[in-house]
Amino acid sequence: MAETFHIGFILFPALTQLDLTGPAQVLSRMSGAKLHFLAASMDGVPSDCGLSLLPTGTFAAAPPLNMVCVPGGAGVDTLISDPASLDYIRRAGEGADYVTSVCTGSLVLGAAGLLKGYQATCHWAWRDLLPLFGAYPVEDRVVIDRNRITGGGVTAGIDFAFAVIERLRGRDEAEMIRLALEYDPQPIGMGGTPSTARSDILQGLRRRYDAIGVPARREALVRIATILNVTAT
Amino acid sequence: MAETFHIGFILFPALTQLDLTGPAQVLSRMSGAKLHFLAASMDGVPSDCGLSLLPTGTFAAAPPLNMVCVPGGAGVDTLISDPASLDYIRRAGEGADYVTSVCTGSLVLGAAGLLKGYQATCHWAWRDLLPLFGAYPVEDRVVIDRNRITGGGVTAGIDFAFAVIERLRGRDEAEMIRLALEYDPQPIGMGGTPSTARSDILQGLRRRYDAIGVPARREALVRIATILNVTAT
């Protein structure tokens, strides 16, 4: 019987829910895993797609964690603008054996000062912002640097979770969970990354990002990073 | 601007949350999509991994749906034993343009009489039970038979959702959403299906299924199917 391994997922309004629900599903099958869904309060947390998730505990009353995992989403700017939440994430990360993220959750880890001097990944459209927080961006789906494990955009959270299980419990357990979750992905068409997508699809998506305010959100992150001044020694 | 396309996901206790949250994430990006998360009551619905999901509406007050999608999970037996829930799913399915499921959700569609004479898929460990409900099992990740679209186990829900978008909105929109969600899966190791997994991994998982009561749940489904008597004309 594996020792209990406490994994805390950070919930915040306007998170991209699959960033969290993908790895939560996979990691919930890991031997000894105990999952905690933590938020500033016990209220339901609205995600980006109309579905709200219920926390199992608050930041204030959270147990010590073996691993903290921060998902991403449009709510990242607001989350890192809240000193109490950011302070909790910093303390949880400093006390954890593993400090992890999916998608733009790595920007949150960065803002909390937890990625200074570490290699990390992020959703491809945001990865270049990691140096704002002293991290070294790596173009990969899952990046492991010492005890920091970061996953790329959204669906990368599933591969991230299997990488965690492989590291903690070995390849055999990871493959058994892979079979249980029937993880034999068969993506339609081309793409999935900027370098493999059709160029007109990439350009169309960039126009869409412009239309839904991504440039303003990027600028907001730059402003917040300046205020937080994480990279200073 | 695409016309609003109402998609209703069915929530029930002990669902496998990724069966629902995977396709919900993908389909939420489809032009015109409006997602509804429907349950017997407005209470939080506990999933299989400690995370509870909040409904946005009840079966009794649900709007007409263009598409109904039923996830699977250990709670399927209880769900199909509840005449009121099963009756709602039957009526919603009969009125919908598309009747869909992920994982053992196809057994629910079957129990509601919605798969009689249709080809369908299911989680691999449960697929052989589809004939209990008059459906023809197909060993595939996504199966489309007229307006019935069924996905295989858990992670197949993501490929299922992209197949729906490709059918409704075309390949280009599906590829753009694929890029936005960075869907470039990189599974670790071997397996993902019984025929591709290492045989000792498959045998180990079957022993684990025995240990956690899968045989008893299969027997329960046979009993319920006998009572529901869906295959009779």
Side-chain angles (χ1 to χ4, degrees):
Chain A
M1 196 66 186
E3 209 177 320
T4 301
F5 187 84
H6 294 275
I7 303 174
F9 288 94
I10 304 298
L11 298 182
F12 55 92
L15 81 162
T16 299
Q17 57 86 4
L18 187 57
D19 291 4
L20 178 151
T21 52
Q25 190 70 57
V26 177
L27 289 165
S28 73
R29 306 291 177 103
M30 185 176 83
S31 52
K34 164 80 178 161
L35 274 50
H36 305 268
F37 300 95
L38 306 169
S41 80
M42 291 300 283
D43 297 338
V45 178
S47 76
D48 65 322
C49 71
L51 180 66
S52 292
L53 312 176
L54 277 180
T56 57
T58 62
F59 297 154
L65 300 174
N66 296 100
M67 174 172 140
V68 60
C69 182
V70 183
V76 154
D77 316 8
T78 305
L79 177 66
I80 66 175
S81 302
D82 174 44
S85 294
L86 203 58
D87 185 57
Y88 169 71
I89 293 164
R90 181 184 302 111
R91 285 182 293 112
E94 286 170 352
D97 304 316
Y98 294 91
V99 177
T100 74
S101 64
V102 175
C103 200
T104 51
S106 57
L107 299 174
V108 177
L109 293 183
L114 294 166
L115 288 183
K116 203 154 48 165
Y118 286 87
Q119 295 194 326
T121 190
C122 189
H123 188 289
W124 60 263
W126 302 82
R127 198 191 293 127
D128 63 301
L129 296 184
L130 282 166
L132 289 174
F133 304 107
Y136 306 117
V138 177
E139 189 180 325
D140 217 339
R141 194 156 174 85
V142 181
V143 170
I144 304 181
D145 183 356
R146 288 157 283 172
N147 74 337
R148 268 57 170 177
I149 310 180
T150 52
V154 199
T155 58
I158 294 172
D159 295 320
F160 150 82
F162 279 109
V164 169
I165 293 172
E166 185 173 31
R167 166 167 279 229
L168 294 177
R169 299 285 185 260
R171 172 67 64 95
D172 284 7
E173 181 165 329
E175 287 195 7
M176 191 177 293
I177 295 167
R178 181 178 168 187
L179 178 58
L181 301 179
E182 210 168 323
Y183 190 43
D184 175 38
Q186 297 172 12
I188 51 101
M190 294 173 63
T193 64
S195 59
T196 55
R198 268 172 38 205
S199 65
D200 61 316
I201 298 284
L202 175 61
Q203 295 317 314
L205 182 57
R206 286 198 186 280
R207 281 194 299 275
R208 186 170 180 158
Y209 281 165
D210 288 346
I212 62 172
V214 167
R217 284 178 48 214
R218 286 175 54 93
E219 283 162 27
L221 282 164
V222 173
R223 278 196 305 277
I224 296 166
T226 306
I227 295 165
L228 291 173
N229 199 20
V230 172
T231 53
T233 47
Chain B
M1 195 67 187
E3 206 176 322
T4 302
F5 187 84
H6 295 274
I7 303 174
F9 288 93
I10 304 297
L11 297 182
F12 55 92
L15 81 162
T16 299
Q17 57 85 5
L18 187 57
D19 291 5
L20 177 152
T21 51
Q25 190 70 57
V26 178
L27 289 165
S28 73
R29 306 291 176 102
M30 185 176 84
S31 53
K34 165 80 177 161
L35 273 49
H36 306 269
F37 300 96
L38 306 169
S41 81
M42 291 300 282
D43 297 336
V45 178
S47 76
D48 65 323
C49 71
L51 180 67
S52 293
L53 312 176
L54 276 181
T56 58
T58 62
F59 297 155
L65 300 174
N66 296 101
M67 174 172 139
V68 60
C69 183
V70 183
V76 154
D77 316 10
T78 306
L79 177 66
I80 66 175
S81 302
D82 173 43
S85 295
L86 203 58
D87 185 57
Y88 169 71
I89 293 165
R90 181 184 303 111
R91 285 182 293 111
E94 285 170 354
D97 303 317
Y98 293 91
V99 177
T100 74
S101 64
V102 175
C103 200
T104 51
S106 57
L107 300 173
V108 177
L109 294 183
L114 293 166
L115 287 184
K116 204 154 47 166
Y118 286 86
Q119 294 194 327
T121 191
C122 190
H123 188 289
W124 60 263
W126 302 82
R127 197 191 293 127
D128 62 301
L129 295 183
L130 282 167
L132 290 174
F133 305 108
Y136 306 117
V138 177
E139 190 180 327
D140 216 340
R141 195 157 173 84
V142 181
V143 171
I144 304 181
D145 184 357
R146 288 158 282 172
N147 73 337
R148 267 58 170 178
I149 310 179
T150 52
V154 199
T155 57
I158 293 172
D159 296 319
F160 150 83
F162 279 108
V164 168
I165 293 172
E166 184 173 32
R167 167 166 279 229
L168 294 177
R169 300 286 185 258
R171 172 67 64 96
D172 284 5
E173 182 166 328
E175 286 195 8
M176 191 176 294
I177 295 167
R178 182 178 167 186
L179 178 58
L181 301 179
E182 210 168 325
Y183 190 43
D184 176 37
Q186 296 172 13
I188 51 99
M190 294 174 61
T193 65
S195 59
T196 54
R198 265 171 42 203
S199 64
D200 60 316
I201 297 284
L202 176 61
Q203 295 317 313
L205 183 57
R206 286 197 186 281
R207 280 194 299 276
R208 186 171 182 156
Y209 282 166
D210 288 348
I212 62 172
V214 167
R217 283 177 48 213
R218 287 175 54 93
E219 284 163 25
L221 282 165
V222 174
R223 280 196 304 276
I224 297 166
T226 306
I227 295 164
L228 291 173
N229 199 20
V230 171
T231 54
T233 48

